[in-house]
Amino acid sequence: MLRPVIAGIDGSPESLAAAGWAAREAQRRDTALRLVHAWAWSPHPSAAVPSTTSQRQWAQRILREARDHLVSLYPHLQVEEAQIPGAAPAVLLEASSQGALLVLGSRGLNGFTGYLAGSVGLTLTARSMTPVALVRAGEQAADAHLLNAEGHSSTETPYRDVLLGIDLAHPGEEAIAFAFEAAQSRGAAVHILHGYRPLSIAAPGARGGREVAAEHESALDALVQPWRAKYPRTAVTTAALQGRAQSLLLHAASDAGLLVLGRSDRPRSGPFTGPMIHAALHHARCPMVVVPHA
């Protein structure tokens, strides 16, 4: 049986947008969606909790309402729910190990909220051995599609590209496979981007800029060729560009429907993801997925 897509729910608009994205992803994968709420009593509950309702009852209501809403939108989708006592990082980290993908919400371009408050979301992104998707507040189904002829959002137009950021030194086959599978399930194209810094022209035996560019382009083409053969119906474009990788990636992501990045799965003691993922977490305007790899 296929593993479910896991979505963290805390009642915020951010987590509900993430749950909607997770539901659409589960439909594309033909698998179940599992909504997980980490519950712990707080001496300072949210102002949204009515004085006549216990915190636990309020948490159960959050989960039930989210499930009912998604079932009304996607009646053929199997939606499960789980309220698990404990701190969110530990609960969601354990839940993610039982799923194919963990989906979390974030507030927007100026910070995190809900499960992404403080270091919680960063810790999950850095430590989960399951791919983690991060979805901005307000994300709608039509946002993954190109604008129509009138310049309006529509789910009737083709999907936007899946953008894959690659480091040729550590490409990560798991991230490449995720990007191609995501593109295939959407009928979208894959755009693969590699950014590199120029060598110092003062270095002994330094090569010219065109020669260096050609080497990077050739290495990227060689890396991608087996994947082109494996997914012959998926359109693929590649770009090896000189410049700051984070800036190049964020610029390309502004037109993408999904950004995919790999993350080394070496042991970590804290919420450290590397500069590329850190920049995307704070500034990417499309949903992003961080995929652990060897």
Side-chain angles (χ1 to χ4, degrees), residues 3 30 32 34 39 49 60 65 67 110 128 142 151 162 187 199 212 233 252 263 265 279 287 291:
R3 289 189 171 199
D30 194 23
R34 182 176 299 160
W39 183 82
V49 180
Q60 290 171 339
E65 289 182 348
R67 181 189 181 280
N110 296 319
S128 175
V162 173
L199 297 176
V212 172
R233 297 184 179 180
R263 188 216 79 210
D265 65 0
V291 183

Side-chain angles (χ1 to χ4, degrees), residues 122-276:
L122 291 174
T123 298
L124 288 165
T125 304
R127 296 183 59 193
S128 175
M129 298 311 297
T130 300
V132 177
L134 299 114
V135 180
R136 299 294 182 192
E139 181 73 17
Q140 302 291 324
D143 295 333
H145 295 257
L146 296 169
L147 299 178
N148 61 21
E150 289 75 38
H152 300 142
S153 298
S154 172
T155 57
E156 302 301 317
T157 58
Y159 278 92
R160 296 176 183 270
D161 290 356
V162 173
L163 173 63
L164 171 64
I166 281 287
D167 176 359
L168 286 176
H170 305 284
E173 289 203 356
E174 294 87 345
I176 301 173
F178 190 101
F180 273 86
E181 286 292 331
Q184 180 174 261
S185 69
R186 291 162 169 77
V190 176
H191 179 56
I192 304 175
L193 176 64
H194 166 64
Y196 64 93
R197 292 277 191 171
L199 297 176
S200 172
I201 59 173
R207 295 157 292 166
R210 290 185 180 179
E211 183 181 354
V212 172
E215 288 180 1
H216 282 277
E217 290 167 1
S218 177
L220 184 56
D221 285 340
L223 175 70
V224 174
Q225 186 54 42
W227 298 93
R228 292 183 188 270
K230 187 175 181 179
Y231 296 86
R233 297 184 179 180
T234 299
V236 182
T237 58
T238 62
L241 303 175
Q242 177 180 298
R244 189 169 179 266
Q246 293 96 313
S247 298
L248 294 169
L249 187 79
L250 293 174
H251 177 74
S254 63
D255 291 323
L258 179 66
L259 169 62
V260 179
L261 296 172
R263 188 216 79 210
S264 171
D265 65 0
R266 64 181 182 273
R268 297 165 187 271
S269 59
F272 306 110
T273 57
M276 185 76 74

Side-chain angles (χ1 to χ4, degrees), residues 7-16 19 35-39 45-50 53-70 79-83 115:
I9 290 288
D10 64 0
S12 67
E14 298 78 36
S15 72
L16 297 178
L35 305 177
V36 176
H37 177 79
W39 183 82
S46 166
V49 180
T53 304
S54 72
Q55 292 181 44
R56 185 154 200 151
Q57 289 174 324
W58 182 250
Q60 290 171 339
R61 177 179 169 183
I62 286 172
L63 206 51
R64 184 177 64 252
E65 289 182 348
R67 181 189 181 280
D68 291 347
H69 175 67
L70 292 173
V79 182
E80 307 165 357
E81 56 184 274
Q83 186 183 68
Y115 287 128

